[in-house]
Amino acid sequence: MGTPILSRTCWFSGARAVGTVGWIKNFRKLAVVSIALAMANSPAAARQEPREGTPVTYSPELLLELKQIQQAALGSDYALRQLAVLTNKIGPRLSGSAQAQSAVEYVAGELRRLRLDVRLERVLAPHWVRGEEKAELVKFPGQVSGITQKIVLTTLGGSVATPPNGLTGEIVSVGSFEELNALGRARIEGKIVLFNCPFDQKMAAQGFGREAYRQIVPYRTGGASAAARQGAVAALVRSAGDSDYRLPHAGFMRYSTDAPQIPAAALTGEDAELIEGLSKEGPVRLHLTLTPQTLPDAESYNVVADLKGSEHPEQIVIVSGHLDSWDLGTGAIDDGAGVAMVLQTVRVLRDLNLHPKRTIRVIAWMSEEFGGIGGKAYARDHKGEASNHVAAIESDHGAGHPLGFSIKAKQTVRPILDPVSRVLQSSGAGLIGFTEDIETDISPLADAGVPCFGLWQDDRTYFNYHHTAADTLDKVVPEELAKNAAIMATLAYALANLAQPPPR
Ligand SMILES: [Zn+2]
């Protein structure tokens, strides 16, 4: 596990040193990587950028408290037990569903049990239901008479339905929006467009899963409208994730106002390859039946709870994860794990009887998967208090082995948090990275100038399971979940107790 991390560190430093620009903008950890003390004399360390600002020291009391928090989280299975409730007992928590509401009630109850002041803040939750989803090739080169071939896919969230008995069309496979537009209406009208744009598994294997995902997710979100503009009757997109186990990856799509709304589904990488291969030999026709429904928005909630600050109760440090999930799996890595870390943060502070100087505000967000609805609602409803939000943390990238945390804020925030990274170094999580790509729910706060933080996890297997039926509790390694919770709790307490709020 150490090798890829080291190579990433060296590689970025080297890339910056030779001034490579352009492509590197796609990557998440753009800036300085704070390295383990043990590596201080390594060649990689020699290539680090000079640190800005003067070294910051914490009081011995604060450092001791941070270590106590870290150890308490590492030694506890509470987060895992919370995650087991969310996944195995409540189950899939699709926006607008009864299970999503059950998760609201469960988490609110647990926070009350931890003696927090809990509020439910209203969110209008999109309520889309999946229905039937099936597809088969009904004509293809070399077809055995009377035989069709099943295609494995899943309807994209927000998609409209096909006619009840389905639709049939020839598939045109394209590798990009440019290729689609070059073919134009003459070649696309009346057809089914397949965006066969593979998830870069090699990039993900190097620890850049998030970047690989970002490269192709525009086809999932915008492919249907792009295809409809050229007259297509349906859009298929190759799943935005690994394709080793013939699993379709669900996800959100949205329609533009300038194109007809056509049905859209994600098919497995394997099925995309199958169709691509057959298409090279001759026409391939697909019969597609999708019966989702968009129901009226549901009344739902962000669960918001305050652990009141002892000196600056009006100043807020958010710790958060999102309650809703996709419906194929049980939402363990996305994002039951994040909510479990948040609950653990509070439980540890209560158990240790520690009182943060600023308010630590827990938020379990609703409807992240349908466009970050809860995060946007919070930013809108609390607009007047943006300046009181001194920091916001969200974990929404699974529960893989954590390497540290990432920051979307001014570079001058980093030296202030070096003492935290030194504490976290003992569990292998001492890296600090800067990112432009912060978690969805807190990104409106980042846009308002609030310093924002994410957890930096090893995501080399995350996109095997992300938004699939295999996102289940067994994918979470208990010790790694505990390490993640330790970061969230330690970082939150430090931010809540800094002498000055982090610069913005
Ligand atoms: Zn998520």
Side-chain angles (χ1 to χ4, degrees), residues 159-160 185 189 222-235 253-264:
S159 172
V160 297
R185 186 165 272 272
E189 190 151 31
S225 288
R229 261 179 230 118
Q230 305 296 345
V233 294
M253 58 84 60
R254 57 166 59 89
Y255 293 111
S256 306
T257 52
D258 64 345
Q261 299 191 353
I262 60 172

Side-chain angles (χ1 to χ4, degrees), residues 222-415:
S225 288
R229 261 179 230 118
Q230 305 296 345
V233 294
L236 303 174
V237 56
R238 182 178 175 138
S239 284
D242 279 300
S243 52
D244 284 337
Y245 306 101
R246 211 178 181 188
L247 288 170
H249 296 241
F252 180 61
M253 58 84 60
R254 57 166 59 89
Y255 293 111
S256 306
T257 52
D258 64 345
Q261 299 191 353
I262 60 172
L267 71 177
T268 71
E270 291 88 339
D271 290 86
E273 289 295 310
L274 168 71
I275 291 169
E276 178 90 38
L278 292 171
S279 300
K280 292 201 171 101
E281 296 177 36
V284 175
R285 289 178 68 80
L286 181 84
H287 184 68
L288 176 69
T289 308
L290 309 173
T291 66
Q293 280 181 278
T294 298
L295 304 175
D297 287 348
E299 285 273 320
S300 193
Y301 306 94
N302 289 328
V303 179
V304 182
D306 286 348
L307 184 56
K308 273 274 180 293
S310 57
E311 286 184 20
H312 308 286
E314 78 291 355
Q315 295 183 15
I316 296 159
V317 173
I318 289 174
V319 291
S320 66
H322 68 84
L323 279 172
D324 65 307
S325 76
W326 284 101
D327 54 332
L328 302 177
T330 57
I333 60 170
D334 188 12
D335 182 34
V339 174
M341 292 170 211
V342 167
L343 291 170
Q344 177 68 297
T345 295
V346 177
R347 192 206 63 95
V348 162
L349 298 182
R350 283 304 198 202
D351 252 33
L352 294 171
N353 201 25
L354 291 174
H355 302 281
K357 290 181 177 165
R358 299 186 179 86
T359 293
I360 291 181
R361 174 168 293 174
V362 166
I363 306 183
W365 308 101
M366 181 49 68
S367 301
E368 188 277 344
E369 299 291 4
F370 275 80
I373 306 295
K376 288 174 187 163
Y378 181 88
R380 187 181 60 237
D381 296 347
H382 294 264
K383 199 173 178 185
E385 311 151 59
S387 60
N388 281 342
H389 287 72
V390 304
I393 307 171
E394 181 172 19
S395 177
D396 185 17
H397 202 58
H401 174 68
L403 309 172
F405 57 86
S406 52
I407 304 177
K408 183 170 183 180
K410 287 193 172 150
Q411 295 274 333
T412 45
V413 170
R414 197 188 70 124

